Every structure is written in structure tokens, then in C-alpha cells.
Amino acid sequence: MFTTCTETVSILYAIAFGAGDACVDVGAGSILAAFAAFMVLVVIAQFLARKLWAKLTQSQPHASPEPTMSENDHPFSDDPNYRDSAIRRSKR
């Protein structure tokens, strides 16, 4: 049932290249190395996903002409000396 191993490989090596007839080391170092490699891949995937999401959701600016005002086109005409003027001092 159990055979004698002539070669032992880490979990990370077994995932990347396959174990074949070799035994897989399930020690703490092997597990931590595989977990660290997994976390590095997750961080890289998140970085790429955020870059892609920012690029996809970025709105394209529309080129619209600026409105031009003529000499006779004023937004308002008001006398600043008038008591109820729109433009006046806050202290009276």
C-alpha cells in the first residue's frame, strides 16, 4: 500500500511541475511557501483588476464648444448702489 519515496518535493513544486512518483512534503515550511506564493498571486491579480476596472469605468470627455458671450449678452444688469442689489456689501 505505501511505497518508499526516493524523492520528496514541496507543495509549491508539486503544484507547479507535478509530483509524479515523488512524495509531497506537507511540513510547515512547504505549506507556508505555497501560501506565500498564493498571496503574491492574489495581490498581483488585485492590482491588475483595479487597473482594468479604472480603465473600463473611466468616462471619456466629450469635446463641446465653449459658449461665447457677445457684447450685449450679459448674465444680469444690476446697479450696485441700489439697496436691494444682487451684488452688495454684507455689512450695511
Side-chain angles (χ1 to χ4, degrees):
M1 183 171 178
F2 291 106
T3 60
T4 305
C5 295
T6 58
E7 183 182 1
T8 304
V9 295
S10 69
I11 293 174
L12 188 57
Y13 185 89
I15 291 171
F17 304 111
D21 293 334
C23 293
V24 178
D25 180 23
V26 289
S30 178
I31 292 172
L32 288 175
F35 183 70
F38 173 74
M39 291 307 297
V40 166
L41 291 175
V42 167
V43 168
I44 291 170
Q46 283 182 342
F47 177 75
L48 293 175
R50 287 180 183 167
K51 286 283 194 181
L52 180 64
W53 183 254
K55 188 180 264 189
L56 291 175
T57 58
Q58 181 180 8
S59 64
Q60 298 295 329
H62 298 290
S64 60
E66 298 264 339
T68 57
M69 297 183 72
S70 66
E71 292 178 18
N72 298 330
D73 195 18
H74 298 285
F76 60 87
S77 62
D78 202 3
D79 183 10
N81 297 324
Y82 185 65
R83 182 173 182 250
D84 296 320
S85 172
I87 302 173
R88 62 180 180 266
R89 296 183 312 171
S90 60
K91 295 182 181 179
R92 293 180 185 232

